[in-house]
Amino acid sequence: MKSLSGKLPKTVAVLGLAVSALTAVAATPASASTAATAGCTRPLRFYDVEVQVDNCSDGWVWMSTGTRFNGASAFVKTASGEVHEFQLAKNQANAIKYHTRLTSVYVCGNDSVGWFPPVPFRRCSSQVGL
């Protein structure tokens, strides 16, 4: 009789790696290679917060946060003048599509200082035209 005790942990490990690979794919920048070579994407970095704006396909914004701040916000301005905030917590990555051309962006790191009570503050980059 064959024992499955050695195969079960291996199968679980392979499935776990497959699921983590799928979740990592969803958090990659919206523009893979075609848009980047076309010159209509703009990568930005503010401390350990990365933002990539893609105006080739109706205003995609991809953001990834690190451990420097408790969270981060990207403020994007559309061609119609509206300003939208895209927020993420620490150690996250996600993308959002605004369905319009974006004209500028700036990034803020959300943090707090002190112990009791902690005082929230934002450290922001300068506004970058797109």
Side-chain angles (χ1 to χ4, degrees):
M1 183 173 189
K2 290 187 176 182
S3 171
L4 295 176
S5 62
K7 292 187 178 187
L8 185 59
K10 289 179 187 176
T11 304
V12 170
V14 169
L15 287 174
L17 289 174
V19 169
S20 67
L22 287 175
T23 57
V25 169
T28 57
S31 61
S33 61
T34 311
T37 57
C40 48
T41 62
R42 181 80 186 252
L44 304 166
R45 185 175 185 93
F46 183 68
Y47 292 92
D48 64 351
V49 178
E50 295 179 58
V51 175
Q52 185 169 331
V53 179
D54 176 8
N55 266 327
C56 292
S57 57
D58 291 333
W60 275 100
V61 176
W62 172 82
M63 183 165 60
S64 173
T65 60
T67 59
R68 168 66 175 90
F69 299 107
N70 291 332
S73 300
F75 293 90
V76 292
K77 187 175 185 180
T78 65
S80 64
E82 297 177 57
V83 177
H84 299 277
E85 181 180 10
F86 177 34
Q87 288 186 335
L88 285 179
K90 182 187 287 192
N91 287 325
Q92 290 187 347
N94 206 347
I96 189 167
K97 187 174 185 176
Y98 289 103
H99 299 286
T100 185
R101 187 176 182 289
L102 304 173
T103 58
S104 66
V105 62
Y106 68 96
V107 181
C108 295
N110 306 323
D111 219 340
S112 58
V113 65
W115 292 276
F116 186 75
V119 178
F121 75 93
R122 279 189 167 162
R123 181 172 289 158
C124 297
S125 70
S126 57
Q127 189 168 3
V128 176
L130 303 171

